[in-house]
């Protein structure tokens, strides 16, 4: 296995750690927040401020990576993850809501940093290989689907009379492990610098590190952002609403968790082959099929609002999300120009839309219900398909002019 392949697998592991921490956070923060907050209305504020931090930091961190290099900023992210765990532990010991808020601000900084792992794995690669590397890194989420809930449940009462204190210490332990993995990536990167790559890869790496001053390719970037961002928004909204819908059907909690687990598997398992599919077709083709899978899944959710219907819909939405997210991310990774700037814009938009979907889910379920929320989701995907059609038309016209 070449050093470059080893780096990709290391980024797979770091991505798995990052998403595992995210699963622990979403499991723990509302309960801890309710216990520490001065009023129950503020119980989800730690999670909310964590999301706000991700949105605020994404573009800034992308620019810092451009100036100082990705690895240095990734190591800062592992440090903030370690500090977030310490702060969360202290907040429980001292029963301090303000320190808990600080912990989730630090955690938001680390999550914002880790969102760029998939782009880091594509640097120095030919365009034909970028989608495969990006897809493999995204597959790290499959680890989080199983490891995250296990850590959250087993660490809950590990420290007597300090519920969830050990859960926060797990952040610190994972931060140390993350730093060790990133140290291995740094050593491999130094080895690569002493081993000149083939001309095409060398030119690609030079272009990534010294971006050409070109205007932002607006339409392709909008297509990518809409696919990744609104795909994430709708997935988050319907995933959270599915628990409410199944609960309203008076199904046992074990059945609800089974639906969510299959949904998460469907989100990440296709990354095993999605990169190869993109390499053999194109990002736009995969994004288009992702939209169709999403739309079909929402129609199932509307017309079959039963356990089996919701299960089938959530599996389809997970698959559709993977196609939109990996396809959109791959499109961003291959765009010419200032890669860090475009990735920063993309991550800021994705974080904002993801937060919008998560926070609107409960209110929309109460106001318009499960079926109408799916109709709303369908209407939100329609402009994305229109943007994709415009891009395909523009590319065809450009191709016709080139031939002429």
């Amino acid at each position: 296995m070449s050093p470059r392949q080893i780096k990709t697998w290391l980024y797979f592991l770091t991505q798995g750690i990052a998403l595992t921490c995210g699963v622990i956070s979403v499991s723990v923060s509302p309960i801890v927040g309710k216990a520490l907050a001065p009023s129950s209305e503020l119980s989800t504020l730690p999670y909310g401020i964590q999301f706000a931090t991700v949105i605020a930091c994404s573009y800034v961190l992308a620019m810092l990576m451009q100036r100082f290099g990705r690895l240095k900023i990734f190591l800062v992210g592992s440090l903030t993850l370690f500090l977030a765990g310490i702060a969360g532990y202290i907040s429980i010991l001292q029963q301090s809501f303000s320190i808990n808020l600080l912990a989730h601000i630090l955690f938001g900084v680390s999550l914002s940093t880790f969102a760029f792992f998939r782009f880091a794995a594509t640097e120095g690669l030919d365009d034909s290989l970028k989608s495969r590397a990006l897809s493999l890194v995204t597959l790290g989420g499959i680890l989080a689907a199983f490891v995250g809930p296990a850590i959250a449940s087993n660490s809950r009462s590990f420290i007597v009379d300090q519920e969830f204190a050990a859960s926060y210490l797990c952040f610190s332990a994972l931060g140390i492990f993350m730093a060790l993995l990133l140290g291995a990536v740094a050593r491999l990167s130094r080895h690569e610098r002493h081993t000149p790559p083939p001309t095409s890869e060398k030119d690609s790496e030079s272009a990534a590190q010294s971006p050409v001053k070109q205007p932002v390719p607006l339409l392709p970037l909008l297509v990518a952002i809409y696919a990744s961002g609104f795909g994430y928004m709708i997935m988050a909204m319907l995933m959270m609403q599915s628990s409410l819908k199944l609960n309203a059907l008076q199904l046992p909690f074990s059945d609800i968790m089974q639906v969510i687990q299959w949904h998460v598997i469907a989100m990440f398992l296709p990354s095993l082959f999605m990169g190869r599919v993109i390499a053999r077709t194109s990002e736009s083709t995969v994004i288009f099929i992702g939209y169709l899978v999403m739309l079909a899944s929402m129609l199932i959710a509307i017309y079959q609002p039963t356990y089996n219907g919701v299960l089938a819909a959530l599996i389809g939405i997970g698959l559709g999300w993977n196609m939109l997210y990996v396809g959109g991310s791959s499109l961003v990774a291959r765009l010419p120009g200032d890669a860090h700037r475009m990735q920063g814009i993309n991550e800021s938009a994705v974080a904002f839309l993801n937060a919008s979907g998560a926070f609107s889910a409960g209110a929309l379920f109460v106001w318009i219900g499960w079926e109408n929320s799916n109709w709303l989701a369908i209407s939100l995907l329609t402009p994305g398909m229109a943007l994709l059609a415009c891009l395909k038309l523009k590319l065809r016209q450009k191709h016709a002019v080139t031939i002429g």
Side-chain angles (χ1 to χ4, degrees):
M1 188 178 292
S2 69
R4 195 177 295 275
Q5 290 174 316
I6 296 172
K7 277 176 61 177
T8 303
W9 281 105
L10 288 172
Y11 278 127
F12 160 82
L13 291 174
T14 57
Q15 179 80 354
I17 293 172
L19 293 174
T20 295
C21 292
V23 171
I24 296 171
S25 175
V26 74
S27 304
V28 168
S29 62
I31 302 172
V32 174
K34 185 177 180 180
L36 299 181
S39 63
S40 58
E41 289 82 1
L42 299 176
S43 60
T44 58
L45 182 59
Y47 195 64
I49 204 168
Q50 174 184 307
F51 256 122
T53 304
V54 172
I55 296 168
C57 289
S58 294
Y59 186 80
V60 175
L61 287 168
M63 294 299 98
L64 289 174
M65 289 177 189
Q66 185 180 58
R67 182 171 181 179
F68 299 107
R70 291 194 191 272
L71 278 173
K72 290 179 181 178
I73 305 303
F74 288 159
L75 286 170
V76 170
S78 63
L79 174 62
T80 57
L81 177 59
F82 175 82
L83 294 175
I86 298 298
Y89 174 72
I90 294 173
S91 72
I92 292 178
L93 290 185
Q94 298 189 1
Q95 292 293 292
S96 171
F97 185 61
S98 58
I99 296 179
N100 192 259
L101 290 177
L102 173 63
H104 284 273
I105 290 173
L106 291 169
F107 187 47
V109 173
S110 65
L111 282 184
S112 184
T113 305
F114 301 154
F116 293 91
F117 283 149
R118 68 191 193 280
F119 292 119
T122 67
E123 288 188 345
L125 296 177
D126 291 331
D127 282 353
S128 60
L129 298 175
K130 286 184 177 181
S131 60
R132 296 186 185 185
L134 193 147
S135 183
L136 178 59
V137 174
T138 305
L139 180 64
I142 204 73
L143 297 177
F146 298 97
V147 178
I151 292 177
S153 60
N154 291 321
S155 64
R156 176 172 183 167
S157 303
F158 190 78
I159 299 177
V160 179
D161 297 330
Q162 301 293 342
E163 196 172 42
F164 292 115
S167 301
Y168 280 101
L169 287 180
C170 288
F171 286 157
S172 298
L174 290 171
I176 294 171
F177 186 35
M178 177 88 74
L180 294 174
L181 292 174
L182 291 171
V185 172
R187 287 192 293 274
L188 289 169
S189 297
R190 285 195 295 270
H191 178 268
E192 284 184 332
R193 281 196 291 271
H194 291 105
T195 307
T199 303
S200 60
E201 291 185 0
K202 191 174 182 180
D203 293 341
S204 175
E205 189 166 3
S206 176
Q209 292 173 353
S210 302
V212 179
K213 296 296 181 182
Q214 297 180 10
V216 174
L218 188 58
L219 183 56
L221 184 59
L222 282 176
V223 169
I225 289 175
Y226 208 100
S228 299
F230 277 87
Y232 226 131
M233 175 185 181
I234 290 167
M235 181 278 298
M237 178 182 75
L238 295 180
M239 179 182 68
M240 298 187 76
Q241 282 200 9
S242 67
S243 297
L244 300 173
K245 176 63 179 177
L246 294 172
N247 185 63
L249 294 174
Q250 297 183 338
L251 292 168
F253 184 70
S254 59
D255 286 351
I256 297 173
M257 289 306 299
Q258 188 175 43
V259 169
I260 298 299
Q261 189 170 43
W262 278 110
H263 168 69
V264 174
I265 291 172
M267 284 175 62
F268 294 108
L269 191 60
S271 294
L272 276 172
F273 55 82
M274 198 58 65
R276 294 181 181 274
V277 173
I278 292 173
R280 292 185 179 183
T281 56
S282 66
E283 286 89 358
S284 58
T285 299
V286 168
I287 290 171
F288 177 68
I289 297 173
Y291 280 132
L292 293 183
V293 172
M294 280 277 215
L295 290 171
S297 301
M298 292 165 197
L299 291 174
I300 292 173
I302 292 168
Y303 292 108
Q304 292 293 326
T306 62
Y307 172 80
N308 289 330
V310 173
L311 173 61
L314 264 287
I315 291 174
I317 289 169
L319 173 59
W321 172 87
N322 185 278
M323 301 179 84
L324 294 176
Y325 184 69
V326 175
S329 299
S330 179
L331 185 56
V332 171
R334 293 202 308 110
L335 290 178
D338 190 336
H340 290 278
R341 182 184 176 197
M342 289 185 289
Q343 291 167 17
I345 294 170
N346 180 74
E347 290 309 299
S348 297
V350 170
F352 174 78
L353 291 167
N354 183 17
S356 300
F359 289 125
S360 64
L364 287 173
F365 186 82
V366 172
W367 294 340
I368 64 176
W370 168 252
E371 288 82 2
N372 286 327
S373 292
N374 278 273
W375 282 119
L376 175 62
I378 290 174
S379 69
L380 290 173
L381 287 183
T382 306
M385 299 184 75
L387 281 171
L388 184 61
C390 290
L391 177 62
K392 295 282 283 185
L393 180 61
K394 184 177 179 179
L395 292 174
R396 284 183 182 179
Q397 291 174 343
K398 184 177 179 181
H399 181 66
V401 170
T402 303
I403 294 176

